[in-house]
Amino acid sequence: MLIDVHAHLLTEGMFNRHEFWGPFMKVQGLTVGHFSLGTKQPAKAATDQEAQANLLARMSHESRRKLMAERGVDKLVMSTPSHCFMYWAEREFANEYARICNDELSAFCRADPEHFDFWCHANLADPENAAREIERAVVQLGARGVCVGGANFNGIEVHDERLFPVWERLSQLDVPIMVHGYNQSIYWGERHHEDRFETTSIVGDCVDETLFFWHLICGGALDAFPNLKTYITHAGGMAVFQLGRLSELNRSMAPDSRNRRPLLEYMANFYFDLDVHAPGLRRGVVEVVGIERLLYGTNFGGAYDHGDLTEGLGLSDANRERIRSGNAIDLLKLDRPARAG
């Protein structure tokens, strides 16, 4: 069985909710405020209406199931695209948009629960409201956890104790965090053009994800909430590849860090995927992280597809199955089909 825990969903109800922030699907790409994603790509539609229709066609149940069948995927766990997190928008709208996203994600999944589940969205720039919305999404709508941006939430960084109500609620509900970086140039306003080469996305996502790992540990959140679980996509950004450096320098060069234990002792709180583009790097992630902390996530249907992430790694059938489905079933409390073991 194969469960891909990194996929994104946009529905018609998630578009055009704010006169400025949108989000909108335009000829030049997904647009949020002044920002448009991939503006140098050739236009694939003649009008904004056609662009939106084309995108929604790729997001339909039928289209997704077709691509899933082609790639051997049995279930997707989807989230709001990170470009639409709205942490930087007006608080009232940002909170409202989180509710909209969760209602839309839930409705989509309820129509076919065999194939689809979801990570909820919450406006972490308003932590108290975010905690309430996460509880609503998990308890009432069936969310399996919450997807968050990586580095900061409109100025509230991950180490900030103002976020403790969110971590506390997640711990009480016993559901995990999914960390996905985002284009921080979105809130630069008209200066977003200064983000040369989409750097805050292409490089910045991995930086954000690494910072989440570093700040969550250094800020003492895992001492206050030892059962908090976090999945960091893109193989952990750069955290896994620089794990030794982070561990050593947490002790010798970060005297203001609040973690009570050595950094490596917190690894049991984290999960990662194998979303890197070479089997050699994936083998390294397996060796460093361990089979029991790996999930299968690909940004399904996104910018690239590099085949089965568990092939060519020298894994036993049992370990391959743990990465492909078993760990996700346990972490997200998914139903375990008989064929999943």
Side-chain angles (χ1 to χ4, degrees):
M1 183 178 188
L2 182 55
I3 301 171
D4 194 324
V5 297
H6 178 189
H8 302 296
L9 179 70
L10 283 165
T11 67
E12 186 172 9
M14 294 162 73
F15 279 118
N16 311 308
R17 304 305 305 226
H18 188 278
E19 61 183 6
F20 175 69
W21 294 111
F24 309 102
M25 190 63 196
K26 298 188 175 183
V27 171
Q28 63 265 37
L30 179 63
T31 299
V32 182
H34 292 291
F35 169 87
S36 291
L37 178 66
T39 53
K40 292 186 179 179
Q41 298 179 28
K44 299 176 182 178
T47 66
D48 294 348
Q49 292 76 16
E50 182 184 356
Q52 179 172 311
N54 289 345
L55 177 67
L56 293 177
R58 296 196 302 273
M59 295 283 175
S60 70
H61 291 89
E62 295 76 15
S63 179
R64 293 235 141 166
R65 284 192 295 260
K66 181 176 184 295
L67 186 58
M68 289 165 67
E70 292 172 2
R71 297 186 181 178
V73 177
D74 296 284
K75 180 177 281 260
L76 291 181
V77 187
M78 302 173 294
S79 60
T80 301
S82 60
H83 321 290
C84 302
F85 281 164
M86 300 296 172
Y87 302 136
W88 49 84
E90 299 90 337
R91 177 172 294 190
E92 182 177 349
F93 172 66
N95 290 339
E96 176 190 0
Y97 195 68
R99 293 180 64 86
I100 290 169
C101 288
N102 294 333
D103 289 341
E104 290 289 312
L105 285 158
S106 176
F108 186 98
C109 294
R110 283 200 308 270
D112 185 357
E114 179 182 352
H115 292 99
F116 304 107
D117 264 301
F118 74 102
W119 302 91
C120 71
H121 174 47
N123 176 27
L124 267 69
D126 184 356
E128 294 285 352
N129 183 276
R132 290 191 294 271
E133 179 57 22
I134 290 168
E135 181 165 11
R136 184 185 80 93
V138 171
V139 175
Q140 298 182 26
L141 303 180
R144 301 296 180 168
V146 61
C147 181
V148 307
N152 70 76
F153 314 102
N154 199 23
I156 302 178
E157 295 188 326
V158 176
H159 58 79
D160 197 313
E161 291 189 4
R162 284 179 289 177
L163 289 168
F164 275 22
V166 177
W167 312 147
E168 180 178 23
R169 192 64 51 87
L170 288 164
S171 296
Q172 291 168 345
L173 294 167
D174 192 25
V175 295
I177 306 163
M178 172 188 177
V179 180
H180 192 300
Y182 65 93
N183 299 62
Q184 300 210 10
S185 61
I186 291 175
Y187 61 75
W188 294 3
E190 294 182 353
R191 290 179 50 244
H192 75 91
H193 294 295
E194 297 175 20
D195 181 15
R196 302 296 181 189
F197 321 118
E198 295 275 1
T199 300
T200 69
S201 173
I202 298 167
V203 178
D205 278 8
C206 294
V207 174
D208 288 351
E209 290 147 8
T210 306
L211 284 172
F212 191 101
F213 175 85
W214 178 246
H215 283 165
L216 195 71
I217 294 173
C218 291
L222 297 179
D223 296 295
F225 308 104
N227 296 320
L228 186 64
K229 302 179 183 70
T230 297
Y231 154 50
I232 307 180
T233 190
H234 306 127
M238 292 174 282
V240 172
F241 299 97
Q242 296 294 333
L243 190 58
R245 174 182 174 85
L246 297 176
S247 175
E248 293 297 323
L249 298 185
N250 172 259
R251 292 185 292 180
S252 63
M253 289 180 62
D256 55 341
S257 60
R258 300 192 291 273
N259 53 295
R260 298 172 190 164
R261 295 180 285 141
L263 182 141
L264 292 179
E265 292 189 13
Y266 297 96
M267 288 298 288
N269 293 87
F270 292 95
Y271 292 75
F272 305 89
D273 58 30
L274 295 172
D275 191 13
V276 284
H277 292 237
L281 294 175
R282 292 177 213 144
R283 285 194 291 270
V285 174
V286 171
E287 181 178 341
V288 171
V289 172
I291 296 296
E292 67 279 1
R293 288 291 178 269
L294 288 172
L295 305 173
Y296 197 100
T298 66
N299 187 31
F300 180 87
Y304 50 77
D305 170 34
H306 38 75
D308 186 339
L309 301 181
T310 60
E311 285 188 352
L313 306 186
L315 298 170
S316 68
D317 289 344
N319 284 341
R320 189 165 176 256
E321 193 65 18
R322 286 196 70 174
I323 296 172
R324 288 167 58 87
S325 62
N327 291 336
I329 289 171
D330 292 341
L331 178 65
L332 302 181
K333 302 182 181 67
L334 302 174
D335 292 335
R336 184 180 290 274
R339 60 176 173 154

